[in-house]
């Protein structure tokens, strides 16, 4: 298969329905996950979701709040209160409170070790009918992704996706002309800031074979494409 600077695109079937996953190297795996989410939505003729940096930062805060709740089966049992979002998460990000919108859905997952965006998408985040229905919800307009490592020298890693049905580009606005408050840990979508070095080292493409564990949901990966035919 040919490779180029834009990355690669995989197509696989899930319960008879085609899903797409984009492999890219932006330096920010949270943005890569948003790209994967939107490619799957457009594959189902659904509108793309706006990549909201404010919502992405709140997703990072959500993941950080739940760092101690990764169970042995890689599930996360963590339910921050509504007040946490407006009184802790939003101020920590620099989200202007009058613009705080509606968070309509979330997906939260964890793994002991770091996974590339495609692996995290298929093996941790969108892995059952419930999460697939969230991915394809017609009322959603915006999305934000946060990723964090629980400990400095080891995992687990947590991924959080937040969805909003609020009006596009008018909610979860970051102050300081959209810069917000710089985060010291992890990374989030909607920003050009790269992930921490620990993430970047692991995000370098190996040029090897990707394996998707989709046996619990039906069919496995069946086709690999040169991304130029998909993305351009």
């Amino acid at each position: 298969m040919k490779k180029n600077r834009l990355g690669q695109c995989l197509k696989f079937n899930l319960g008879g329905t085609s899903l797409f996953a984009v492999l890219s190297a932006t330096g920010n795996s949270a943005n890569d996950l948003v790209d994967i989410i939107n490619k799957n939505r457009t594959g189902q003729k659904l509108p793309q979701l706006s990549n909201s940096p404010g919502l992405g930062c709140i997703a990072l805060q959500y993941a950080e709040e739940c760092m101690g709740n990764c169970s042995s089966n890689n599930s996360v049992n963590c339910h921050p209160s509504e007040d946490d979002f407006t009184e802790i998460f939003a101020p920590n990000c620099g989200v202007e409170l009058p613009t705080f919108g509606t968070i309509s859905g979330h997906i939260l997952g964890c793994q002991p070790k770091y996974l590339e965006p495609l692996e995290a998408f298929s093996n941790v985040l969108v892995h059952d009918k419930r999460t697939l229905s969230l991915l394809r919800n017609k009322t959603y307009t915006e999305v934000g992704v946060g990723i964090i490592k629980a400990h400095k020298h080891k995992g687990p890693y947590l991924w959080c996706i937040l969805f909003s049905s609020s009006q596009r580009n008018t909610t979860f606005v970051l102050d300081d002309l959209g810069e917000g408050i710089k985060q010291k840990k992890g990374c989030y979508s909607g920003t050009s800031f790269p992930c921490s070095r620990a993430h970047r080292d692991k995000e370098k493409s190996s040029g090897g074979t990707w394996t998707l564990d989709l046996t619990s949901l039906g069919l496995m990966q069946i086709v690999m494409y040169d991304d130029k035919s998909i993305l351009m």
Side-chain angles (χ1 to χ4, degrees):
M1 182 186 68
K2 292 182 179 180
K3 296 166 65 176
N4 58 48
R5 63 185 178 83
L6 291 177
Q8 303 165 355
C9 182
L10 303 184
K11 178 183 179 182
F12 55 92
N13 274 348
L14 181 62
T17 304
S18 294
L19 295 176
F20 290 92
V22 180
L23 310 185
S24 59
T26 66
N28 185 323
S29 52
N31 280 330
D32 293 340
L33 277 168
V34 171
D35 289 342
I36 293 170
I37 289 167
N38 277 327
K39 177 57 70 173
N40 281 284
R41 286 180 63 87
T42 56
Q44 295 297 309
K45 299 183 178 179
L46 295 170
Q48 291 193 8
L49 304 176
S50 296
N51 189 357
S52 167
L55 192 58
C57 185
I58 291 173
L60 174 60
Q61 295 286 320
Y62 194 139
E64 185 172 5
E65 174 74 12
C66 297
M67 284 195 304
N69 292 274
C70 184
S71 67
S72 57
N73 63 354
N74 300 325
S75 62
V76 184
N77 184 18
C78 181
H79 306 282
S81 70
E82 290 186 11
D83 289 343
D84 285 343
F85 286 88
T86 55
E87 296 179 7
I88 300 175
F89 299 167
N92 284 350
C93 290
V95 171
E96 298 177 2
L97 288 181
T99 70
F100 195 94
T102 301
I103 296 176
S104 308
H106 77 279
I107 300 174
L108 192 64
C110 66
Q111 273 282 326
K113 62 179 183 178
Y114 178 78
L115 297 179
E116 299 288 350
L118 174 56
E119 294 176 293
F121 175 80
S122 61
N123 297 340
V124 178
L125 297 168
V126 184
H127 56 82
D128 56 23
K129 291 182 178 179
R130 183 192 72 84
T131 50
L132 187 61
S133 68
L134 289 171
L135 178 72
R136 295 177 176 169
N137 190 297
K138 295 180 180 180
T139 68
Y140 293 161
T141 55
E142 296 183 305
V143 64
V145 175
I147 307 170
I148 195 167
K149 181 170 65 171
H151 305 288
K152 184 176 181 180
H153 298 294
K154 62 179 181 179
Y157 288 84
L158 284 87
W159 291 260
C160 179
I161 304 174
L162 295 181
F163 300 99
S164 174
S165 301
S166 300
Q167 186 175 352
R168 294 176 184 269
N169 304 320
T170 61
T171 53
F172 306 104
V173 175
L174 294 173
D175 58 19
D176 194 19
L177 300 177
E179 292 295 323
I181 298 174
K182 187 175 181 179
Q183 304 300 301
K184 297 180 179 180
K185 297 180 180 179
C187 64
Y188 61 93
S189 62
T191 176
S192 60
F193 294 122
C195 292
S196 66
R197 182 170 180 81
H199 285 87
R200 293 203 305 271
D201 289 345
K202 292 179 178 293
E203 285 175 356
K204 293 178 181 178
S205 175
S206 63
T209 301
W210 289 77
T211 302
L212 303 182
D213 182 10
L214 301 176
T215 54
S216 63
L217 295 174
L219 300 177
M220 280 196 65
Q221 169 193 338
I222 56 172
V223 182
M224 295 185 75
Y225 286 100
D226 176 0
D227 70 301
K228 282 188 176 180
S229 64
I230 299 295
L231 299 178
M232 298 183 67

